[in-house]
Amino acid sequence: MKIKFSSILILITLISSASYAQKTNKFKMTKEVKQLIELGRDSIIKLALPLVDKNVSLENFSKTSVQSNGTEVYVAFSNPVMYLPLNTVFYDHVGVNLTTGSGYKSTVANPAGYNTQEKTPYYLQTESIKKNIAFICNAIDSFNYADIANFNGSMRILEKENHYNISVVSETQESWYKVKKVTGKMFDEGHAHLELPPITEDKQNTFKEVLFKE
């Protein structure tokens, strides 16, 4: 299968909602979708991954989500927490629709809009990056690095010359911080509450995370 990739913003809502999606199988499934779901989570992810890129692996993503609306199966790969060195750009969100043969890739850059003539790389969290993330999380009172693997939301850490810019978006709040490189002192902290999306009745085209049997 050849996947046609796009950067259409509406597709990003699938991956953005994956962090908060309720796991459920309470929707009617077509025969084709049932056959895919019966393969199991791991098999579906293995099926979708090479369609993203033949050189990409699960090491490039810290979160995966298999979603369906009953007629389509969508696999989303993402990195909820990312550290970006100065003058870098990476793919952060990638999705593949196994039913329609479509997909998308989105990028994040430091500084915003930064680009190169080279092929955009996939993110890889090295030991050095892990140490930087731990340093920054320990500098922010509301974060515990030991729980970072269970973080639900989006955290972007952008390296600057003398400090780090941190933005955090959860389901109900957007926050931003700056942390000095040498001292780890936090400054310029801010928060803004986000309105919850309106509760609507389930519709056929609403994607939900699939619940697999253990």
Side-chain angles (χ1 to χ4, degrees):
M1 179 190 295
K2 184 176 181 180
I3 295 294
K4 183 177 180 180
F5 283 99
S6 169
S7 59
I8 299 175
L9 292 179
I10 193 171
L11 291 177
I12 297 178
T13 60
L14 288 170
I15 184 68
S16 298
S17 63
S19 299
Y20 318 114
Q22 180 181 2
K23 292 185 177 182
T24 180
N25 287 345
K26 294 182 179 179
F27 47 76
K28 293 182 179 180
M29 292 184 282
T30 64
K31 179 181 178 180
E32 291 75 12
V33 168
K34 285 182 180 179
Q35 290 175 340
L36 271 174
I37 299 302
E38 288 173 357
L39 293 176
R41 175 183 170 83
D42 291 344
S43 295
I44 292 173
I45 290 173
K46 289 180 180 178
L47 184 64
L49 196 58
L51 299 177
V52 173
D53 192 306
K54 64 179 181 180
N55 296 317
V56 75
S57 73
L58 284 178
E59 292 183 356
N60 297 111
F61 306 99
S62 57
K63 185 178 180 64
T64 58
S65 174
V66 178
Q67 304 171 42
S68 178
N69 61 358
T71 59
E72 301 173 21
V73 175
Y74 197 92
V75 185
F77 302 91
S78 64
N79 289 294
V81 180
M82 291 184 68
Y83 171 91
L84 281 78
L86 194 59
N87 297 325
T88 55
V89 58
F90 298 99
Y91 286 118
D92 60 342
H93 293 158
V94 176
V96 173
N97 190 317
L98 293 176
T99 309
T100 65
S102 61
Y104 82 91
K105 299 177 182 179
S106 68
T107 60
V108 60
N110 178 27
Y114 178 82
N115 205 347
T116 67
Q117 299 300 319
E118 300 178 0
K119 184 179 179 181
T120 300
Y122 291 90
Y123 187 67
L124 185 62
Q125 197 171 97
T126 63
E127 289 302 317
S128 176
I129 285 177
K130 290 179 182 179
K131 290 180 180 179
N132 285 327
I133 293 175
F135 173 80
I136 291 159
C137 286
N138 291 332
I140 301 175
D141 296 336
S142 58
F143 280 94
N144 183 351
Y145 182 70
D147 297 329
I148 201 70
N150 299 317
F151 175 74
N152 242 353
S154 175
M155 182 178 189
R156 298 292 179 260
I157 303 168
L158 307 184
E159 180 192 22
K160 301 301 177 183
E161 186 175 351
N162 298 311
H163 68 277
Y164 303 103
N165 280 357
I166 303 102
S167 63
V168 180
V169 179
S170 67
E171 190 174 13
T172 59
Q173 182 172 281
E174 180 179 3
S175 304
W176 54 93
Y177 316 85
K178 290 182 180 178
V179 172
K180 292 186 177 180
K181 278 187 174 181
V182 177
T183 64
K185 182 179 180 180
M186 185 179 69
F187 65 105
D188 196 17
E189 176 183 1
H191 305 275
H193 290 286
L194 303 175
E195 291 186 9
L196 289 172
I199 299 175
T200 58
E201 295 182 0
D202 290 343
K203 296 182 180 180
Q204 185 177 0
N205 61 352
T206 300
F207 280 83
K208 294 185 178 181
E209 191 165 358
V210 177
L211 176 63
F212 290 92
K213 295 180 180 180
E214 297 294 335

